[in-house]
Amino acid sequence: METSDLARMSPQDGVVALRSLPRRFRAALRPFEDPDFDEWAERVTSSGRAPLDHLVDADRSLTLLHRAFEQVLHHDAPVLVPAVTDPAAREWPAVHSGLQGELAHLEDTAEGFASLVERVPAADWSRVGCVAGTGTAVDALDLLREAVRTGITDLRDAERAFDEVRRSV
């Protein structure tokens, strides 16, 4: 799915996109079995970030957006942290569990989010939350779209970073 298609994305499209992210990250960062890929994934590129950093960002962002999604579904007009709509406000500790650990974690995160999306009744897609500090209202579908947009963007950034690392060795 292209990020330009997100305005027309259905919840089922979101489920498919979320479930495809772990496979797509694995294909991008570990295209075949080679122990060098684990080390390459941690090499910092000219952007100042390593390919693994983009995987970690995708996983942590999906976790954040999953929690916001749950709040919108279970509470009336919850106040959400600004990071749900502002990627620049998302900062994560520089701790990770290596390429294999992070790929496994992303798989669990994406599957958990997708499973919840599948169970949402049609009437609940219009439930809204309010972003703290901005007053911006976001509905459940907006949060799902942001999760897919973030995953795709981080995947593309990870692919570019990994290609740069491969060209440098």
Side-chain angles (χ1 to χ4, degrees), residues 1-49:
M1 171 172 284
E2 294 296 319
T3 54
S4 60
D5 295 334
L6 291 177
R8 296 184 309 269
M9 184 185 82
S10 70
Q12 189 54 39
D13 293 336
V15 167
V16 171
L18 287 172
R19 286 194 169 131
S20 74
L21 285 172
R23 175 186 48 78
R24 293 171 68 190
F25 266 99
R26 188 174 302 281
L29 300 180
R30 197 168 178 80
F32 53 88
E33 283 301 314
D34 185 328
D36 288 339
F37 290 148
D38 293 344
E39 189 265 325
W40 290 2
E42 295 187 36
R43 284 194 190 176
V44 176
T45 64
S46 62
S47 71
R49 298 184 74 196

Side-chain angles (χ1 to χ4, degrees), residues 65-146:
L65 291 160
H66 183 180
R67 288 182 185 142
F69 189 83
E70 287 177 322
Q71 288 177 346
V72 166
L73 293 179
H74 300 298
H75 304 286
D76 291 331
V79 176
L80 307 172
V81 296
V84 299
T85 57
D86 181 7
R90 298 175 193 161
E91 292 188 31
W92 321 115
V95 178
H96 61 77
S97 57
L99 180 58
Q100 292 304 322
E102 291 300 331
L103 286 167
H105 197 268
L106 177 63
E107 192 166 336
D108 292 342
T109 301
E111 181 55 37
F113 199 167
S115 293
L116 175 60
V117 169
E118 284 182 319
R119 296 188 312 270
V120 174
D124 286 354
W125 285 103
S126 61
R127 293 183 60 87
V128 297
C130 181
V131 179
T134 67
T136 304
V138 292
D139 64 26
L141 190 55
D142 292 329
L143 293 168
L144 178 58
R145 286 181 179 132
E146 178 58 17

